[in-house]
């Protein structure tokens, strides 16, 4: 009989322990889901504040964010920043925004550069050169290829084509040609700030001589390279400061614009391709984690919102009528608090040491 009672007692204890474990596990799971909800809330707040969008427009951007963050290995903060900046600067949402955001996030990851600075510089170039939405992805890849081939950062190249874009467009340069030229300047060690006044001087001279400026520049570069244009002539074309740098770079074999431009035109490198081929285990795990978070997002957002509403209700609750209905005064509450503090002290100073000694 005693053995039976003992077994029943053990079974009861085991059941209670099992239920306690389940309860603890459920509590930990709920906490993790709540934390995911908090991450989404922070991201949405950043997009809301950054774009000023509300209602259905904000909901569309939230969907764009989820698509982006579950497609590339990035943290929620950078993904929200990319979505916000691209919507603000280009007015995009949906597929165009998603594709550009993924490109910019991968570019920033593989080049260890700042996503906000990259977006700021490149979108300014898009606007200055009137790059259509459907061509922006290809143009960003071209900036990246020029960066790889020259050592100049994508943001630097984008800033250069904006800074000196107007005079180049006036003589028929395309954005690709301007990008290739500035990248070649960087590769050859030519100072762009010094060279541009020289180029303006040369193009003005070509206009006066009724020579196509682009063709005139190409022939001048080639002539300096093969020796048919002497140093003195080059100085007259480009000016003393710019001409000296140009002649030195070309005669030393550091400036080959035609070959450089062809290399960029025929290369098939893309940012997304480079991103896929350089992901390591940690980045793959980050992407997997993002996918899981997006999968549980409905539950996470609901729980976070529910807890927020509950906490707001408690924060705004007026306890005085409740205490009055219960017949309690503030002195009663203070007395209960004093008792609770004393009990906690006894537990800490007496019960816990005894339990440890046992």
């Amino acid at each position: 009989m005693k053995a039976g009672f003992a077994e029943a007692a053990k079974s009861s204890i085991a059941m209670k322990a099992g239920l306690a474990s389940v309860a603890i596990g459920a509590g930990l799971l709920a906490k993790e889901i709540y934390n995911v909800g908090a991450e989404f809330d922070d991201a949405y707040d950043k997009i809301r504040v950054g774009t000023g969008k509300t209602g259905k427009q904000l909901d569309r951007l939230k969907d764009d964010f989820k698509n982006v963050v579950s497609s590339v290995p990035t943290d929620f903060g950078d993904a929200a920043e990319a979505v916000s900046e691209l919507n603000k600067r280009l007015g995009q949402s949906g597929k165009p925004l998603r594709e550009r955001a993924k490109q910019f996030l991968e570019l920033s990851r593989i080049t260890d550069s700042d996503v906000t600075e990259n977006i700021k510089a490149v979108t300014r170039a898009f606007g200055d050169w009137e790059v259509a939405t459907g061509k922006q992805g290809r143009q960003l890849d071209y900036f990246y290829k020029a960066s790889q081939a020259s050592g100049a950062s994508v943001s630097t190249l984008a800033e250069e084509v904006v800074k000196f874009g107007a005079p180049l467009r006036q003589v028929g340069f395309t954005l690709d040609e301007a990008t290739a030229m500035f990248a070649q300047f960087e590769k050859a060690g030519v100072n762009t700030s010094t060279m541009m006044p020289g180029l303006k001087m040369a193009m003005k001279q070509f206009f006066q001589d009724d020579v196509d400026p682009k063709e005139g520049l190409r022939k001048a570069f080639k002539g300096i390279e093969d020796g048919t244009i002497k140093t003195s002539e080059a100085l007259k074309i480009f000016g003393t400061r710019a001409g000296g740098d140009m002649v030195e770079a070309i005669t030393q074999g550091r400036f080959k614009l035609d070959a450089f431009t062809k290399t960029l035109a025929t290369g098939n490198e893309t940012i997304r391709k480079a991103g896929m081929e350089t992901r390591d285990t940690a980045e793959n795990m980050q992407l997997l984690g993002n996918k899981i978070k997006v999968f549980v997002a409905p539950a996470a957002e609901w729980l976070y919102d529910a807890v927020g509403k509950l906490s707001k209700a408690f924060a705004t609750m007026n306890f005085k009528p409740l205490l009055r209905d219960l017949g309690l005064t503030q002195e009663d509450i203070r007395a209960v608090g004093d008792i609770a503090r004393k009990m906690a002290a006894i537990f800490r100073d007496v019960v816990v040491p005894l339990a440890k000694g046992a």
Side-chain angles (χ1 to χ4, degrees):
M1 180 70 71
K2 291 183 179 180
F5 279 121
E7 290 298 324
K10 289 179 180 180
S11 177
S12 177
I13 292 171
M15 183 179 295
K16 290 179 180 178
L19 290 174
S21 297
V22 170
I24 292 171
L28 292 174
L29 178 60
K31 183 178 183 300
E32 290 302 315
I33 293 176
Y34 174 86
N35 290 340
V36 171
E39 285 191 72
F40 277 103
D41 184 72
D42 288 344
Y44 296 159
D45 286 349
K46 180 175 286 190
I47 295 171
R48 165 67 180 83
V49 172
T51 64
K53 296 294 190 296
T54 59
K56 291 182 178 180
Q57 290 182 324
L58 180 60
D59 288 340
R60 283 195 290 270
L61 292 178
K62 289 179 180 180
D63 289 339
D64 292 337
F65 166 78
K66 290 177 181 177
N67 178 275
V68 170
V69 83
S70 60
S71 301
V72 293
T74 186
D75 61 49
F76 275 35
D78 282 346
E81 186 73 12
V83 169
S84 177
E85 287 296 311
L86 287 169
N87 177 262
K88 179 167 55 180
R89 295 178 180 278
L90 298 177
Q92 295 176 349
S93 62
K95 185 177 180 180
L97 182 146
R98 295 176 183 190
E99 292 305 311
R100 291 300 75 71
K102 294 169 191 177
Q103 257 188 311
F104 275 110
L105 288 165
E106 284 286 60
L107 170 67
S108 301
R109 179 181 67 81
I110 61 181
T111 61
D112 194 25
S113 55
D114 185 78
V115 65
T116 305
E117 289 303 312
N118 286 333
I119 292 175
K120 178 181 178 181
V122 174
T123 54
R124 282 190 65 201
F126 287 165
D128 191 57
W129 286 80
E130 298 182 348
V131 181
T133 299
K135 297 181 179 180
Q136 289 171 358
R138 179 256 170 208
Q139 198 66 57
L140 181 52
D141 281 331
Y142 193 89
F143 277 129
Y144 175 60
K145 288 191 292 184
S147 173
Q148 284 182 310
S150 67
S153 69
V154 167
S155 60
T156 295
L157 291 173
E159 288 165 358
E160 296 285 6
V161 298
V162 169
K163 185 177 181 181
F164 302 109
L168 293 176
R169 286 193 296 273
Q170 288 174 1
V171 297
F173 269 78
T174 66
L175 180 52
D176 280 1
E177 291 168 335
T179 302
M181 185 169 67
F182 287 123
Q184 184 61 41
F185 284 166
E186 176 72 24
K187 187 178 179 68
V190 177
N191 188 309
T192 302
S193 297
T194 300
M195 184 53 59
M196 281 310 298
L199 290 177
K200 291 179 182 179
M201 176 179 173
M203 289 186 288
K204 181 179 179 181
Q205 185 62 50
F206 294 143
F207 268 126
Q208 292 175 352
D209 296 341
D210 198 26
V211 174
D212 177 77
K214 283 201 300 181
E215 184 63 19
L217 284 177
R218 190 189 66 79
K219 288 182 176 179
F221 294 154
K222 190 176 187 308
I224 295 172
E225 183 179 4
D226 62 21
T228 57
I229 293 180
K230 306 301 181 185
T231 300
S232 59
E233 295 174 304
L235 296 179
K236 288 181 181 179
I237 296 173
F238 296 104
T240 304
R241 292 183 64 194
D245 282 354
M246 182 62 75
V247 169
E248 183 180 10
I250 292 175
T251 55
Q252 291 178 1
R254 293 184 284 118
F255 195 89
K256 298 182 181 295
L257 184 57
D258 282 348
F260 186 80
T261 303
K262 289 178 182 177
T263 299
L264 296 183
T266 56
N268 62 357
E269 176 74 298
T270 69
I271 293 169
R272 296 298 302 278
K273 178 183 176 184
M276 288 289 292
E277 294 176 355
T278 57
R279 290 180 190 172
D280 57 23
T281 301
E283 287 154 350
N284 285 328
M285 293 305 295
Q286 182 180 39
L287 179 56
L288 174 62
N290 287 351
K291 288 178 181 290
I292 293 172
K293 289 177 182 178
V294 171
F295 180 77
V296 302
E301 292 175 43
W302 177 87
L303 179 61
Y304 184 83
D305 185 55
V307 173
K309 290 178 179 177
L310 186 62
S311 64
K312 182 179 180 180
F314 278 122
T316 57
M317 182 180 291
N318 186 354
F319 285 95
K320 288 183 178 180
L322 177 63
L323 295 176
R324 185 175 59 250
D325 292 342
L326 294 174
L328 297 174
T329 65
Q330 290 186 337
E331 287 72 20
D332 295 329
I333 300 301
R334 291 194 190 94
V336 171
D338 289 339
I339 293 172
R341 282 191 291 273
K342 290 176 181 178
M343 292 298 294
I346 293 171
F347 185 83
R348 181 191 65 231
D349 299 334
V350 179
V351 175
V352 172
L354 288 173
K356 288 183 178 178

